[in-house]
């Protein structure tokens, strides 16, 4: 048996395993073998034999076609130039053989032939499109294959960036582009008019036209006035041709965006587009969402590009605008959304002509559009019918279409648009007063529209806004209406700030909403209260005592989320108070929260889940208060000097008793409050810092939650620069205790099970290297800490891996390694013991470090690969001998899917010849690109599985 015949048999056997063997490991092995085989030079002849073997099954033939495609794309340099034209001729022969199918093989052959055509010079293959048309254009049996080639030729030219394009296609000589386009357009025109032409062939014609237009090989002017353009509009009446015709027309219109160059084409297109209007009014079309979407795409594409012509040529383009308005009025909300960007663009043009009476017809369109949008904002009569994704999609639509209402405000003025919404509500209420039933949807929709317009309304508006605010108490008490009205108030709190006389109504209205039995209403009230207190904080200072009493009375009825909003609201008022009054007010609201935590802690027995939730919710609110108030302008008064220590005593006791309860989130919520306390109290917090560090360490030893490491890192950043011996000793103890606990943990479980803990640990290590390097480099925990960073760098989460790489870089690139360059910490030279300590650690883990970096380089996400490349360069600069000793085995361990044996050899040659760190980086950059190319090849062939 010859080598080639043996290779064919091996390919067939591997494909049989890939398609039929139930063993996943066997499948993976077969796939890896096939991928590696395709990179070999022998694959050329083997693929040739399989493709033309008369008795070969479809699967091997498909593999052969895919092999030609990938090798032409990636490995054409393997062939001598004398073999290129025979390869082309072989593919042309195969094209004729598979013209009638299977289609999947035909497509692969067309892509292979197109990629070859693009990489041949004009001297090797002059004008491939013309050559192919002349060769196959008059053979009906070859029509489908010819169109497939012409389509993928254009698509590969614009989309396959890996090709070294040498053909003149895409950059032809003067006049040749027009000749090619005319020839192809003529061919397409001939096909679409041919007697007995099938819908499938017509659709291919439209797809080929779109591909050629996208590359710029064919222009809109090439199509204008041809039977092909007529066929595109005629095809809209055919269900089988509709989608392809829509895509082609959208592409055609898109290519007319250079308006001055395409005026003749636009003048040809616009009447045809306007003539689509009767179809938009047809009941059958309006009920067919796909048809409406297609027509809308065509019209909107024209509207968006021709917008600069609308105002100057209003008589000609107004019907197009009105047709798009008809699309916006249909009942299919996805179709309505397609029109949004058109209204946005048109708004800019119309605003430039504001005041010109000639644009009144456009203003009328916008006025009608407001009513259309408010109609779309209506919930269905049976709103319960909206559930799951459908409900979420409708809510998203309502918020998105609000942008179009803002466009209406920009054109017509916010006052006029608000007036329209106000009038709709007033008319609805008047009908209700007359005895007619009032649907809540008829009030809620215009209320929602008012909220959407909020950004366009001037806070000084005095014509309609007072009427709207006066209307609120007259609204029906339906919870949906109350919810919408409450959020309207929340949207206009800046207006209320300039009209504080309305606080007397809005504050009681919003406050009473907190007591509403409907959870959505109470949530809206809490959110609105937050905005009201934020924007009207100075006006609400006199109401603080009243709010305190009220909150105490309703807090038991509110959800934790609503209480958090209320806390934010009150905090905004406190932040606006005079410095002499703010501390007492803050204490009034915060100390009861600390007391809640204390009471849960000292309660006999074990606290229930509800009790712990009560305590952790109180901590969240405490954090909210301190975050918004931030720091008191005059600092803490003497009466509050012990507050920090007292507060920490409560939190400390809470952690001791319940810090190990992960389900209740005690560690996380308590540490969030601790972090805020460190910022708020600062000097007072520094006094308790050693105690805090000790508690973080002991709590971590009991229950290794990531929050404890997070606080330790915050302490490093906040206080390490002070150089306080007591604090430094406490920090050293805490870090080593936490490290030892984590090291032991990793002995009993894989890193992936504690990814969150490792994430915060490597952040802690990086902070220590920056702020207190002696704590790490002179610590017995240093080797284990670096080993832990290496383990963390292997995790699948890119964010965690990047944090680990940052910590590794902080160590291997530390300035103490080149002390002669003047490396210092806070102006003091680094101790001479740093560099030997770092070197000793790197010596012990060099192979593991390099292997992880190489693996991250070839298999990581883009950011991980980039960072790994940088670290390999740092290794070349700081630890060249360790790198050189480790690279050969690290490269040899790479899987074949990243680099073949030949590619590994080529890399090692490049690496060995590198004379400086930059050249080392170049060698690894080559490896990165090679591995990506291998992965791209694998993706191209993935469909064989």
């Amino acid at each position: 048996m010859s080598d080639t015949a043996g290779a064919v048999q091996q390919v067939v056997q591997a494909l049989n395993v890939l398609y039929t063997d139930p063993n996943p490991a066997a499948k993976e092995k077969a796939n890896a073998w096939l991928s590696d085989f395709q990179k070999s030079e022998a694959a050329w002849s083997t693929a040739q034999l399989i493709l033309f073997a008369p008795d070969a099954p479809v699967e091997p033939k498909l593999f052969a076609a895919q092999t030609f495609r990938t090798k032409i794309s990636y490995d054409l340099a393997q062939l001598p130039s004398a073999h290129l034209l025979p390869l082309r001729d072989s593919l042309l022969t195969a094209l004729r053989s598979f013209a009638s199918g299977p289609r999947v093989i035909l497509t692969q052959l067309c892509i292979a032939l197109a990629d070859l055509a693009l990489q041949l010079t004009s001297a090797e293959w002059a004008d491939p499109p013309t050559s192919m048309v002349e060769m196959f254009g008059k053979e009906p049996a070859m029509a489908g294959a010819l169109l497939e080639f012409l389509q993928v030729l254009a698509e590969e030219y614009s989309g396959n960036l890996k090709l070294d394009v040498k053909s003149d296609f895409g950059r032809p000589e003067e006049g040749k582009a027009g000749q090619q386009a005319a020839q192809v357009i003529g061919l397409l025109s001939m096909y679409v008019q041919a007697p007995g032409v099938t819908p499938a062939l017509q659709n291919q014609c439209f797809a080929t036209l779109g591909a050629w237009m996208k590359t710029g090989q064919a222009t809109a002017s090439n199509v204008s006035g041809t039977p092909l353009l007529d066929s595109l509009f005629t095809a809209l009446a055919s269900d089988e041709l509709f989608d392809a015709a829509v895509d082609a027309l959208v592409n055609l219109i898109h290519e007319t965006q250079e308006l001055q160059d395409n005026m003749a084409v636009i003048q040809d297109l616009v009447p045809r587009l306007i003539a689509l209007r009767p179809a938009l009014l047809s009941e059958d079309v309006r009920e067919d969402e796909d048809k409406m979407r297609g027509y809308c795409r065509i019209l909107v594409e024209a509207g968006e590009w021709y917008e600069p012509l609308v105002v100057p040529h209003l008589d000609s383009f107004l019907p197009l605008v009105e047709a798009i308005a008809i699309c916006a009025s249909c009942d299919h909300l996805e179709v309505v959304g397609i029109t949004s960007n058109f209204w946005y663009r048109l708004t800019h043009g119309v605003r430039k002509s504001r005041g010109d009476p000639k644009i009144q017809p456009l203003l009328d369109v916008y006025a009608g559009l407001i009513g259309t949008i408010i109609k779309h904002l209506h919930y269905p009569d049976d709103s319960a019918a909206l559930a799951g994704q459908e409900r979420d999609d409708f809510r998203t639509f309502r918020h998105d279409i609000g942008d179009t209402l803002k466009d209406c405000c920009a054109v017509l003025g916010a006052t006029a648009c608000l007036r329209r919404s106000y009038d709709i509500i007033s008319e609805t209420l008047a009908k209700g007063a007359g005895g007619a039933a009032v649907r809540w949807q008829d009030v809620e929709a215009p209320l929602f529209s008012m909220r959407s317009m909020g950004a366009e309304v001037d806070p000084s508006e005095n014509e309609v806004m007072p009427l709207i605010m006066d209307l609120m108490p007259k609204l029906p008490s339906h919870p949906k209406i109350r919810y919408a009205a409450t959020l309207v108030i929340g949207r206009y709190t800046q207006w209320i700030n300039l009209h504080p006389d309305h606080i007397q109504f809005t504050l009681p209205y919003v406050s009473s909403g907190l007591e509403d039995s409907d959870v959505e209403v109470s949530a809206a009230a809490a959110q609105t209260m937050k905005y009201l207190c934020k924007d009207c904080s100075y006006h609400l200072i006199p109401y603080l005592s009243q709010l305190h009493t009220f909150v105490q009375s309703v807090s038991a009825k509110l959800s934790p989320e609503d209480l958090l909003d209320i806390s934010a609201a009150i905090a905004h008022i406190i932040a606006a108070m005079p410095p002499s009054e703010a501390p007492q007010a803050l204490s009034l609201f915060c100390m009861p929260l600390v007391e809640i935590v204390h009471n849960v802690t000292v309660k006999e027995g074990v606290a229930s889940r509800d009790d712990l939730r009560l305590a952790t919710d109180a901590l969240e609110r405490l954090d909210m208060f301190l975050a918004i108030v931030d720091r008191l302008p005059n600092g803490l008064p003497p009466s509050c000097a012990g507050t920090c220590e007292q507060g920490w005593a409560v939190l400390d006791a809470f952690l001791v008793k319940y810090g190990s309860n992960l389900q209740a989130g005690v560690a996380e919520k308590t540490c969030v409050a601790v972090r805020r306390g460190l910022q708020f109290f600062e000097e007072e917090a520094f006094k308790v810092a050693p105690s805090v560090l000790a508690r973080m360490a002991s709590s971590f030893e009991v229950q290794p939650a990531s929050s404890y490491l997070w606080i330790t890192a915050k302490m490093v950043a906040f206080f390490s620069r002070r150089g306080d011996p007591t604090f430094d000793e406490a920090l050293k103890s805490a870090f080593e205790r936490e490290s030892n606990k984590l090291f032991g943990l990793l002995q009993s479980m894989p890193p992936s099970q504690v990814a969150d803990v490792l994430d915060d640990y490597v952040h802690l290590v990086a902070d220590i290297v920056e702020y207190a390097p002696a704590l790490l480099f002179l610590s017995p925990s240093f080797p284990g800490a670096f080993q832990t960073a290496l383990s963390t760098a292997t995790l699948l989460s890119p964010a965690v891996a990047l944090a680990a790489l940052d910590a590794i870089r902080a160590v291997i690139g530390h300035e103490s390694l080149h002390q002669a360059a003047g490396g210092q910490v806070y102006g003091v030279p680094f101790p001479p013991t740093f560099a030997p300590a770092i070197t000793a650690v790197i010596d012990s883990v060099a192979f593991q470090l390099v292997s992880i970096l190489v693996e991250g380089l070839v298999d990581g996400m883009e950011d991980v690969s980039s960072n790994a490349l940088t670290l390999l360069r740092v290794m070349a600069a700081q630890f060249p001998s360790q790198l050189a000793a480790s690279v050969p085995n690290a490269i040899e361990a790479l899987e074949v899917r990243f680099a073949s044996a030949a590619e590994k050899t080529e890399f090692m040659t490049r690496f060995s010849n590198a004379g400086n760190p930059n050249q080392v980086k170049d060698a690894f950059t080559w490896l990165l690109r090679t591995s990506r190319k291998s992965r791209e090849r694998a993706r191209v062939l993935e469909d064989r599985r």
Side-chain angles (χ1 to χ4, degrees):
M1 182 184 296
S2 68
D3 291 342
T4 303
V8 170
Q9 185 175 354
Q10 283 183 291
V11 168
V12 172
Q13 289 174 346
L15 288 170
N16 186 55
V17 171
L18 190 67
Y19 289 121
T20 63
D21 196 315
N23 186 344
K27 285 179 178 288
E28 192 63 36
K29 184 177 180 181
N31 186 62
W33 185 89
L34 289 168
S35 296
D36 199 37
F37 170 76
Q38 283 187 320
K39 297 178 182 180
S40 69
E41 293 189 22
W44 292 105
S45 56
T46 304
Q48 175 89 357
L49 282 175
I50 295 174
L51 191 62
F52 288 100
D55 55 347
V58 170
E59 288 83 1
K61 287 181 179 288
L62 174 58
F63 175 76
Q66 290 173 326
T67 298
F68 275 121
R69 172 187 174 179
T70 55
K71 292 200 73 63
I72 288 171
S73 182
Y74 294 101
D75 302 327
L76 195 60
Q78 290 178 349
L79 292 181
S81 57
H83 290 192
L84 297 179
L85 292 185
L87 173 61
R88 177 201 65 181
D89 295 340
S90 178
L91 291 173
L92 289 171
T93 301
L95 199 67
R96 187 179 292 279
S97 300
F98 291 95
S100 59
R103 177 67 182 273
V104 65
I105 296 178
L106 176 64
T107 298
Q108 293 296 317
L109 290 173
C110 285
I111 295 174
L113 187 59
D115 287 350
L116 179 62
L118 291 170
Q119 295 180 87
L120 295 178
T121 65
S122 58
E124 292 170 318
W125 189 0
D127 197 355
T130 299
S131 171
M132 292 291 287
V133 171
E134 291 174 350
M135 194 180 309
F136 299 124
K138 295 182 180 179
E139 297 184 40
M142 292 298 296
L146 176 58
L147 289 174
E148 184 81 5
F149 169 79
L150 292 173
Q151 179 181 342
V152 299
L153 178 68
E155 291 173 344
E156 288 295 287
Y157 173 75
S158 61
N160 192 343
L161 303 180
K162 300 177 290 296
L163 299 179
D164 179 15
V165 177
K166 298 175 182 176
S167 168
D168 287 338
F169 186 81
R171 48 178 186 271
E173 60 194 51
E174 188 71 24
K176 195 172 181 180
Q179 295 172 8
Q180 284 185 345
Q183 188 176 38
V184 171
I185 297 300
L187 178 75
L188 300 179
S189 296
M190 178 184 74
Y191 281 162
V192 295
Q193 297 179 94
V197 62
T198 64
L201 195 65
Q202 284 181 287
N203 282 331
Q204 268 194 282
C205 289
F206 298 155
T208 302
L209 172 64
W212 273 62
M213 295 199 71
K214 286 180 179 178
T215 63
Q217 293 301 102
T219 64
S221 59
N222 294 137
V223 182
S224 181
T226 68
L228 184 57
L229 181 60
D230 295 332
S231 70
L232 286 172
F233 280 96
T234 303
L236 294 174
S238 166
D239 289 343
E240 292 178 287
L241 303 177
F242 182 81
D243 290 339
V246 167
D247 289 339
L249 283 170
V250 169
N251 287 329
L252 177 65
I253 294 167
H254 184 83
E255 295 308 313
T256 64
Q257 58 186 277
E258 299 294 337
L259 302 181
Q260 297 305 316
D261 296 337
N262 290 285
M263 285 306 298
V265 182
I266 294 171
Q267 289 172 353
D268 185 10
L269 284 173
V270 169
R272 297 173 186 263
L273 295 171
I274 294 172
L276 300 177
R277 182 170 177 170
L280 300 176
L281 298 173
S282 163
E283 185 175 345
D284 289 341
V285 171
R286 292 186 71 81
E287 291 179 354
D288 188 330
E289 183 174 359
D290 292 334
K291 286 287 181 67
M292 281 300 298
R293 183 185 296 106
Y295 282 119
C296 186
R297 284 181 60 208
I298 294 169
L299 294 168
V300 166
E301 187 72 23
E304 290 182 1
W305 291 120
Y306 304 160
E307 175 273 319
L309 303 174
V310 171
V311 174
H313 306 280
L314 189 56
D315 290 343
S316 298
F317 286 91
L318 180 62
L320 177 61
V321 176
E322 292 173 338
I324 296 173
I326 293 173
C327 293
S329 69
C330 81
D331 293 332
H332 307 295
L333 300 186
E334 184 180 332
V335 176
V336 176
I338 295 173
T339 69
S340 296
N341 194 51
F342 165 72
W343 300 116
Y344 173 76
R345 290 193 179 195
L346 183 61
T347 296
H348 288 275
V350 174
R351 289 181 69 180
K352 295 176 183 177
S353 301
R354 183 181 290 173
D356 186 344
K358 294 179 183 177
I359 67 167
Q360 186 58 46
L362 287 175
L363 302 185
D364 294 340
V365 172
Y366 273 93
L369 186 61
I370 297 174
T372 296
I373 294 174
I374 292 177
K375 180 197 76 172
H376 289 317
L377 293 175
H378 279 68
Y379 274 95
D381 290 342
D382 181 12
S383 60
L386 287 177
Q389 189 61 46
E390 188 178 12
R391 178 192 60 227
D392 295 341
D393 289 345
F394 181 63
R395 288 177 175 173
T396 299
F397 166 81
R398 281 173 35 118
H399 286 283
D400 290 345
I401 203 66
D403 289 338
T404 304
L405 279 174
K406 295 173 187 174
D407 295 333
C408 293
C409 290
V411 171
L412 302 173
T415 296
C417 296
L418 281 175
R419 171 74 70 177
R420 181 66 184 277
S421 299
Y422 171 79
D423 288 344
I424 291 174
I425 297 176
S426 297
E427 292 166 7
T428 301
L429 296 181
K431 292 178 183 177
V438 174
R439 299 169 62 250
W440 65 264
Q441 292 91 337
D442 295 335
V443 177
E444 191 274 343
L447 282 173
F448 186 91
S449 73
M450 291 176 178
R451 183 153 62 103
S452 298
M453 299 177 203
E456 301 300 314
V457 178
D458 192 317
S460 62
E461 203 280 338
N462 283 321
E463 184 176 335
V464 180
M465 279 303 304
L467 298 177
I468 291 174
M469 290 298 170
D470 290 341
L471 184 66
M472 295 298 174
K474 303 173 186 176
L475 296 175
S477 59
H478 192 284
K480 295 290 186 183
I481 296 175
R482 182 65 183 266
Y483 172 80
T486 301
L487 291 179
V488 168
I489 293 174
R491 188 63 188 81
Y492 289 96
T493 51
Q494 291 182 354
W495 183 89
I496 296 172
N497 184 47
L498 297 183
H499 303 78
D501 50 309
H502 285 272
I503 289 178
Q504 294 182 1
F505 152 67
T506 53
L507 186 60
Y509 185 85
V510 173
S511 299
S512 61
L514 294 171
E515 301 181 89
D516 199 285
S517 58
D518 187 283
V519 293
E520 289 191 342
V521 172
S522 60
Q527 179 181 319
T528 296
M529 183 69 80
K530 178 173 65 175
Y531 294 133
L532 186 65
C533 293
K534 180 180 179 181
D535 290 332
C536 307
S537 54
Y538 289 100
H539 299 301
L540 288 171
I541 291 174
Y543 296 88
L544 186 60
S545 176
Q546 176 183 335
L547 283 171
H548 178 255
T549 303
F550 175 76
V551 170
Q552 283 185 315
S553 67
V554 301
S555 59
K557 305 175 186 177
L558 297 178
S559 70
E561 294 75 18
D562 294 345
L563 281 171
L564 199 59
D565 280 340
I566 295 301
S567 298
I570 293 170
H572 284 299
I573 300 176
I574 295 173
M577 296 179 73
S580 60
E581 300 176 17
Q584 183 178 356
L586 186 62
S587 176
L588 179 67
F589 285 93
C590 289
M591 292 312 293
L593 301 176
V594 176
E595 188 175 352
I596 290 174
V597 179
H598 173 71
N599 290 339
V600 170
T601 305
V602 300
K603 187 176 182 179
E604 291 187 9
V606 178
S608 66
R609 178 178 297 182
D610 289 341
D611 286 339
L612 290 177
R613 176 65 188 271
L614 187 67
T616 55
D617 288 345
L619 289 172
E620 277 195 284
R621 283 146 56 200
L622 181 64
D623 174 67
M624 181 65 72
F625 273 108
L626 298 183
I628 292 175
V629 174
D630 198 15
R631 290 184 175 89
L632 297 171
N634 296 340
L636 288 175
S639 59
C640 298
T643 302
C644 177
E645 187 174 354
Q646 295 166 6
W648 166 242
V650 172
L651 300 186
D652 185 30
F654 188 50
L655 282 175
V656 169
K657 191 169 184 179
Y658 296 112
S660 59
N661 191 324
L662 294 183
Q663 288 186 336
V666 170
E668 178 185 354
K669 300 295 177 62
T670 306
C671 286
V672 167
V674 169
R675 186 277 308 264
R676 195 69 66 188
L678 294 174
Q679 293 176 321
F680 182 82
F681 289 104
E682 199 168 6
E683 285 303 320
E684 289 77 6
F686 182 65
K687 297 175 184 177
V688 299
S691 173
V692 174
L693 285 167
R695 181 56 59 210
M696 294 302 110
S698 60
S699 295
F700 188 79
E701 288 172 331
V702 174
Q703 179 61 60
S706 61
S707 301
Y708 300 128
L709 299 176
W710 178 61
I711 288 298
T712 304
K714 293 297 181 185
M715 302 283 276
V716 172
F718 287 166
F719 301 128
S720 286
R721 286 196 171 116
R722 297 183 177 222
D724 182 88
T726 302
F727 173 82
D728 290 347
E729 184 60 34
L731 180 59
K732 178 177 182 295
S733 173
F735 173 67
E736 293 186 354
R737 291 171 65 187
E738 290 166 347
S739 295
N740 289 332
K741 176 63 180 181
L742 181 56
F743 301 160
L745 203 64
L746 292 174
Q747 296 296 318
S748 60
M749 64 178 62
S752 58
Q753 290 189 14
V754 285
D756 59 330
V757 176
L758 290 173
D759 185 18
D760 278 300
Y761 184 77
V762 294
H763 277 99
L764 170 60
V765 169
D767 283 344
I768 289 175
V769 174
E770 180 177 358
Y771 298 108
L775 178 60
L776 179 68
F777 298 146
L778 305 182
S779 169
S781 299
F782 179 29
F786 195 78
Q787 178 64 59
T788 300
L790 293 179
S791 300
T792 307
T794 65
L795 295 178
L796 294 178
S797 168
V800 177
L802 285 171
L805 292 176
D806 285 343
I808 292 169
R809 183 176 182 179
V811 173
I812 68 173
H814 196 261
E815 292 183 11
S816 63
L817 294 170
H818 43 89
Q819 184 78 52
Q824 297 181 353
V825 57
Y826 310 133
V828 179
F830 292 113
T833 49
F834 280 12
I838 297 172
T839 301
V841 167
I842 300 305
D843 284 342
S844 67
V845 297
F847 173 68
Q848 182 185 7
L849 169 59
V850 172
S851 296
I852 289 171
L853 293 180
V854 170
E855 187 77 19
L857 178 75
V858 301
D859 195 28
M861 302 291 285
E862 184 171 351
D863 287 344
V864 173
S865 294
S866 176
N867 277 263
L869 183 61
T870 299
L871 287 174
L872 286 165
R873 187 197 178 283
V874 173
M875 284 290 292
Q878 302 286 16
F879 302 99
S881 60
Q882 293 92 332
L883 179 67
S886 303
V887 161
N889 289 335
I891 296 299
E892 184 59 32
L894 283 179
E895 296 179 31
V896 173
R897 64 192 176 102
F898 298 123
S900 66
E903 289 165 341
K904 291 177 182 179
T905 300
E906 171 66 17
F907 167 77
M908 286 307 304
T909 300
R910 291 170 179 263
F911 177 75
S912 299
N913 293 335
N916 58 58
N918 286 333
Q919 291 176 348
V920 169
K921 181 180 179 181
D922 290 342
F924 279 110
T925 300
W926 180 88
L927 178 63
L928 171 61
R929 291 171 178 166
T930 300
S931 67
R932 284 180 174 172
K933 187 182 293 186
S934 295
R935 284 187 287 176
E936 288 168 1
R937 293 175 74 130
R939 280 194 290 269
V940 170
L941 299 177
E942 189 65 26
D943 56 358
R944 71 174 177 231
R945 304 183 72 176

